[in-house]
Every structure is written in structure tokens, then in C-alpha cells.
Amino acid sequence: MKIAVYPGSFDPVTNGHIDIINRAAKIFDLVHVAIIVNPEKTPYFGIDERMNMLKAAVGGIKKAKVDSFDGLLVDYAASKKACAIVRGLRAVSDFDYEFQMALTNLRMCPEIETIFIMTDYKYSYLSSSLVKQISSLGGNVSGLVPDSVLKKLKSRKRS
Ligand code: PNS
């Protein structure tokens, strides 16, 4: 059984992330979509909110499971018996950070490969930060995020 971990902040999950999860699920038997609990940056949405939005969004993808983790990613991946870490690559600007992370993780855990999936061109400009900014300034983000996120962003604006 080929198991992968797709880690991230998912603050919030976007349709770009969902595209990567769908495509990873075609390659692997099981994809653990793993939300980091304590990133260095303070998240906009708490861990429970991010988990709920992601669960609602990937409910239809049978081979994907939503989970959370803290500590080292390679330790988490090893605990799930994953052979790969999946990351999405948008533009060249992602490369430096991803290259550094992939090589650091490989040094710590040579058994786990990092696999990059190119983001669909439709989402190549999309990021969670842009979504939060547009939404908080009153813009429309429908089509960019799953419905579960759209609802949450709207309720956040009202409160
Ligand atoms: O969605 P993000 O914010 O780009 O995801 C970054 C993430 C969660 C993959 C990265 O910060 C991470 O793996 N954190 C766990 C700590 C760790 O293992 N650090 C060493 C890897 S270089």
C-alpha cells in the first residue's frame, strides 16, 4: 500500500489544494492531508476550524484522510508509514523554499521522498493569503475556495 502525506497550513484550504489532493489520490492508495497545528505564523483559523473546512471539502475523495500534526513532518510521515511527502508547486517563486524543505527532510529521513505536483494553471496564482486578503476587504472568492471555506469566511466577516 502506497501512503503519502500532504502537509500544509491550509489556512484556509483553497481549490488549488483540493486539485493537488485529487491528483495525489490517483497516484497513492492513501493520502493523509495533514494540517500543521503550531506553525511559526499565527493562523487566521484555529486548528478545529481548518480541520472542519478540510474534512467537508475532501469528504468525497475516498483515498484522502484529514489529520493534524505538530513536531517534525518526517516523524509524522514515518508514523503514518508514508513513503512520500506531497507538495504542490505553483511558480518558480515556490522553488527555493520547497527545495530547502525537501532536501532537509531527505537528510533527516532518506526513506521518505518528496514528490512535487505542479498546480493546475487555473490555480497557479492562488494562495491562502490572497484569499484571506480579498475576503477581508469585501471581495468575492467564490470559485477559489471550497463551499465550506466560503461559508466560514462569510460568517467571520459578519462577526
Ligand atoms: O502550507 P505551508 O505553510 O507551506 O506548509 C509548511 C509545512 C507545514 C509543510 C512546514 O512548515 C513543515 O513541514 N513544518 C513542520 C516542521 C518541520 O518538519 N520542519 C522541518 C522541515 S524543513
Side-chain angles (χ1 to χ4, degrees):
M1 179 145 167
K2 290 243 175 292
I3 301 172
V5 165
Y6 177 41
S9 308
F10 302 106
D11 187 32
V13 61
T14 69
N15 285 346
H17 294 125
I18 300 296
D19 174 58
I20 299 289
I21 297 167
N22 265 309
R23 289 160 58 205
K26 288 186 195 156
I27 303 171
F28 295 97
D29 300 305
L30 176 60
V31 179
H32 291 285
V33 183
I35 311 176
I36 187 151
V37 177
N38 289 319
E40 282 159 21
K41 43 197 173 183
T42 309
Y44 187 70
F45 291 109
I47 185 65
D48 291 342
E49 292 176 300
R50 284 181 283 155
M51 290 276 285
N52 290 339
M53 286 185 278
L54 245 171
K55 278 183 184 164
V58 305
I61 309 173
K62 287 199 178 68
K63 290 201 233 161
K65 270 191 190 169
V66 178
D67 197 7
S68 63
F69 77 104
D70 55 17
L72 281 179
L73 172 59
V74 286
D75 288 345
Y76 171 77
S79 78
K80 293 291 172 189
K81 304 201 177 342
C83 62
I85 293 166
V86 170
R87 293 286 288 171
L89 260 191
R90 288 168 302 186
V92 179
S93 49
D94 282 343
F95 185 78
D96 279 352
Y97 171 58
E98 294 298 336
F99 185 67
Q100 188 182 27
M101 264 204 312
L103 291 187
T104 309
N105 285 333
L106 192 65
R107 187 175 189 282
M108 288 190 286
C109 192
E111 299 77 32
I112 302 177
E113 288 292 343
T114 297
I115 307 286
F116 293 104
I117 297 182
M118 301 298 156
T119 301
D120 189 303
Y121 73 93
K122 282 186 296 204
Y123 307 117
S124 57
Y125 61 91
L126 185 56
S127 71
S128 300
S129 315
L130 266 186
V131 163
K132 284 177 280 195
Q133 191 182 87
I134 296 169
S135 171
S136 65
L137 295 172
N140 180 8
V141 291
S142 54
L144 303 182
V145 293
D147 285 349
S148 55
V149 176
L150 212 51
K151 279 190 205 129
K152 195 81 201 167
L153 285 168
K154 278 182 186 157
S155 71
R156 181 92 174 221
K157 265 194 291 189
R158 279 195 298 270
S159 60

